[in-house]
């Protein structure tokens, strides 16, 4: 005897075939709860990560992605606003979203799905389809990190020198100068291509980066991916994935790519919204476990490519919550990246730009990319700054007399020269050789 459920399925299939629809690819909205939408009626069942298109009452299509499957119910999150949706609307399954990146994307501003956000018209498509969420390259097949490379900022080139293919984090609270420093890096000409990912940022920052910071020359070799703070969480998450996917395209063409992602914290916040919408239990500071699984899958995509290909050198900004550099996202990201730069609010308030806290910043690849003379210069400068920081309060209170300690006298005289050397205006660019030469000059023996 045929069960009633089987009869219901057969009736549904028959009805759709009569309407000219493909059986199994059409489902129905059965619930709308907060950000998520429940669908049923798909045979075979939908898969996590699969795309879905929902037709609203005004016949407009709302694109969504499957984020959870429970028995015969699939929960999806929309890429746009879910207003106007109700129970009974039809949904059609789609293939997983891909990007067809081409060299014609240079000089363009796009959304996470490859649609142009500028006024330059048609965006050419490449022949190779790249999934937004690709798997990092096998570690045993990657090339080693390349030679030292200049970021164009003296304090970074000297105290946190990086190598080609390295991943560096910029850790800063809001309003400390993170965006200003990122703008300085965006004008760097050491790389063939720059990919700038703006994830959950202010809408006004897009034109500022494109017109003021990159300019026509910089924009000609750059691709900008943007999803502003008012975008749905799924779109903000995809902006980070799209930035890495575009960078991977140029890396595989043998290009030296500089990837600037601002910020990975807002990527994590978007993942948190998605996770909580699927019913995940919040654990560490309200973040579900899936967030800490997504971070390495994203960040490990940067780095050297396979033999014969290029590299992705990544600078990732981390928005620190309340100046607490040990909060969960900062702590997790710091453990994944190859170095970290700490921006200090106190230095910014004193007018020192970039406000980099040298003592708390480091690059894990420094031993392999500095010459003996460069290593000596940096080590001596660090010692002088550290000693000056130890006695600065004593000096301000008048508790130290010149001549009591030769090392302290030297630190008191040379530390201001070092700090002056490290300061740099937003529009000024520097080379790594010039940066080390100026630092060596600053720590030269003080005149008697």
């Amino acid at each position: 005897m045929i069960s009633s459920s089987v009869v219901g399925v057969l009736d549904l299939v028959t009805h759709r075939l009569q309407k000219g629809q493909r059986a199994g690819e059409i489902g129905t909205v059965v619930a709308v709860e907060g950000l998520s939408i429940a669908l049923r009626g798909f045979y075979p069942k939908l898969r996590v990560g699969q795309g879905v298109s929902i037709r609203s009452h005004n016949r407009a299509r709302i694109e969504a992605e499957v984020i959870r499957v429970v028995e015969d119910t699939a929960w999806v999150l929309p890429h746009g606003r879910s207003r106007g949706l109700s129970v009974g609307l039809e949904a059609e399954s789609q293939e997983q979203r891909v990007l067809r990146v081409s060299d014609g994307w240079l000089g363009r501003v796009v959304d996470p799905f490859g649609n142009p956000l500028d006024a330059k018209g048609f965006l050419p498509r490449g022949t190779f389809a790249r999934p937004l969420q690709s798997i990092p390259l096998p570690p045993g097949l990657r090339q080693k990190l390349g030679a030292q490379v200049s970021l164009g900022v003296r304090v970074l080139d000297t105290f946190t020198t990086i190598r080609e293919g390295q991943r560096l984090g910029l850790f800063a609270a809001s309003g400390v100068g993170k965006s200003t420093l990122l703008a300085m890096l965006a004008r760097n000409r050491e790389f063939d291509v720059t990919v700038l990912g703006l994830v959950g940022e202010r809408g006004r920052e897009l034109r500022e980066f494109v017109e003021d910071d990159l300019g026509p020359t910089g924009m000609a070799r750059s691709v900008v991916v943007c999803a502003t703070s008012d975008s749905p969480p799924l779109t903000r998450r995809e902006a980070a994935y799209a930035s890495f996917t575009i960078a991977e395209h140029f890396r595989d063409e043998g290009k030296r790519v500089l990837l600037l992602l601002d910020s990975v914290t807002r990527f994590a916040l978007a993942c948190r919204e998605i996770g909580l919408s699927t019913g995940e239990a919040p654990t560490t500071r309200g973040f579900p476990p899936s967030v800490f699984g997504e971070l390495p899958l994203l960040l490990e995509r940067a780095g050297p490519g396979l033999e014969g290909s290029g590299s992705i050198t990544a600078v990732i900004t981390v928005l620190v919550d309340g100046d607490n550099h040990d909060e969960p996202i900062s702590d997790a990201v710091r453990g994944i990246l190859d170095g970290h730069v700490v921006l200090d609010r106190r230095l910014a308030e004193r007018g020192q730009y970039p406000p980099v806290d040298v003592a708390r910043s480091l690059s894990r690849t420094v031993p392999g990319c500095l010459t003996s003379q460069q290593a000596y210069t940096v080590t001596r400068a660090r010692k002088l700054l550290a000693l000056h920081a130890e006695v600065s309060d004593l000096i301000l209170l008048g508790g130290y007399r010149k001549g009591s300690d030769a090392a302290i006298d030297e630190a008191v005289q040379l530390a201001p020269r070092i700090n002056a050397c490290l300061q740099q205006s937003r529009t000024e660019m520097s080379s790594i050789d010039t940066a080390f030469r100026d630092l060596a000059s600053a720590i030269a023996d003080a005149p008697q």
Side-chain angles (χ1 to χ4, degrees):
M1 183 175 180
I2 301 177
S3 66
S4 58
S5 60
V6 174
V7 172
V9 172
L10 292 175
D11 289 342
L12 180 62
V13 171
T14 301
H15 172 69
R16 289 173 179 169
L17 288 175
Q18 290 172 350
K19 293 178 64 177
Q21 297 171 337
R22 292 168 291 181
E25 295 187 357
I26 303 295
T28 306
V29 175
V30 296
V32 180
E33 298 182 6
L35 298 176
S36 56
I37 304 164
L39 305 176
R40 286 180 186 165
F42 290 91
Y43 299 94
K45 297 176 182 178
L46 294 174
R47 307 178 304 276
V48 173
Q50 188 173 354
V52 172
S53 177
I54 304 172
R55 188 180 293 275
S56 63
H57 289 289
N58 60 3
R59 312 306 294 171
R61 289 191 176 273
I62 298 176
E63 304 297 328
E65 180 182 314
V66 179
I67 56 173
R68 181 188 180 198
V69 177
V70 180
E71 296 182 352
D72 61 341
T73 303
W75 293 88
V76 303
L77 279 183
H79 290 290
R81 298 185 181 275
S82 57
R83 292 179 180 177
L85 294 182
S86 63
V87 172
L89 295 176
E90 286 189 345
E92 182 178 359
S93 63
Q94 307 285 341
E95 293 301 321
Q96 186 180 20
R97 286 181 177 271
V98 297
L99 288 182
R100 296 184 179 274
V101 188
S102 75
D103 292 352
W105 287 31
L106 291 172
R108 303 300 301 270
V109 182
V110 300
D111 70 7
F113 312 111
N115 302 310
L117 291 178
D118 49 25
K120 297 182 180 179
F122 174 74
L123 188 69
R125 309 289 178 177
T127 56
F128 183 66
R130 293 178 175 273
L132 285 173
Q133 301 183 39
S134 64
I135 301 174
L137 294 175
L141 301 181
R142 289 185 176 188
Q143 302 178 71
K144 296 174 64 176
L145 291 176
Q148 65 176 212
V149 61
S150 176
L151 293 174
V153 180
R154 283 190 293 270
V155 64
L156 302 185
D157 284 343
T158 50
F159 287 93
T160 58
T161 315
I162 70 169
R163 300 170 64 181
E164 182 182 334
Q166 187 172 337
R167 300 163 303 178
L168 186 69
L170 298 182
F171 292 73
S174 59
V176 179
K178 170 177 56 66
S179 297
T180 302
L181 181 54
L182 200 70
M184 296 172 67
L185 298 176
R187 293 191 297 274
N188 189 289
R189 297 183 180 180
E190 288 282 318
F191 299 88
D192 302 318
V193 175
T194 299
V195 178
L196 175 62
L198 300 177
V199 181
E201 294 297 321
R202 308 171 187 88
R204 67 167 177 80
E205 291 185 339
L206 176 60
R207 291 193 63 180
E208 290 179 1
F209 266 112
V210 171
E211 298 177 11
D212 300 337
D213 299 324
L214 287 173
T217 303
M219 191 61 198
R221 53 181 178 78
S222 302
V223 182
V224 179
V225 183
C226 182
T228 52
S229 59
D230 60 326
S231 303
L234 205 61
T235 303
R236 280 179 272 134
R237 185 197 70 177
E238 300 297 87
Y241 288 133
S243 301
F244 278 79
T245 300
I246 295 170
E248 288 168 344
H249 164 79
F250 292 103
R251 176 204 64 194
D252 293 345
E253 287 192 337
K255 302 289 180 57
R256 301 166 72 229
V257 182
L258 174 63
L259 172 61
L260 305 175
L261 185 68
D262 189 17
S263 70
V264 73
T265 304
R266 292 193 171 101
F267 165 79
L269 292 174
C271 291
R272 180 174 69 178
E273 292 182 52
I274 295 170
L276 296 179
S277 297
T278 65
E280 274 194 85
T283 53
T284 308
R285 295 280 187 91
F287 286 94
S290 62
V291 174
F292 301 97
E294 289 289 345
L295 287 173
L297 289 176
L298 175 74
L299 300 176
E300 284 290 345
R301 292 170 63 180
L306 303 176
E307 290 293 336
S309 65
S311 63
I312 301 175
T313 304
V315 178
I316 312 294
T317 67
V318 184
L319 185 60
V320 177
D321 184 13
D323 283 320
N324 178 14
H325 288 261
D326 293 323
E327 54 90 18
I329 299 302
S330 299
D331 196 47
V333 172
R334 188 166 49 244
I336 299 170
L337 299 179
D338 306 315
H340 56 272
V341 175
V342 176
L343 305 186
D344 192 293
R345 187 181 301 277
R346 294 170 300 175
L347 295 177
E349 291 171 349
R350 291 206 298 261
Q352 180 172 325
Y353 288 95
V356 175
D357 188 337
V358 171
R360 300 166 64 191
S361 304
L362 65 86
S363 168
R364 293 188 174 93
T365 65
V366 158
C369 68
L370 293 184
T371 65
S372 58
Q373 182 59 42
Q374 290 173 342
Y376 168 78
T377 301
V378 171
T379 301
R380 185 159 187 264
R382 280 187 181 274
K383 289 180 178 180
L384 289 168
L385 291 175
L387 181 56
H388 183 262
E390 288 180 9
V391 299
S392 59
D393 290 340
L394 185 64
I395 295 172
L396 290 174
L397 294 174
Y400 177 77
R401 290 186 179 183
K402 183 178 180 180
S404 301
D405 187 294
I408 295 179
D409 288 344
E410 184 182 42
V412 169
Q413 188 162 8
L414 296 183
R417 292 169 55 176
I418 297 173
N419 288 326
C421 170
L422 299 181
Q423 294 193 52
Q424 189 171 341
S425 68
R426 177 172 179 165
T427 58
E428 181 185 357
M429 296 301 295
S430 173
S431 68
I432 195 167
D433 292 334
T434 301
F436 274 106
R437 184 174 63 248
D438 292 346
L439 182 60
S441 176
I443 64 174
D445 292 337
Q448 300 299 322

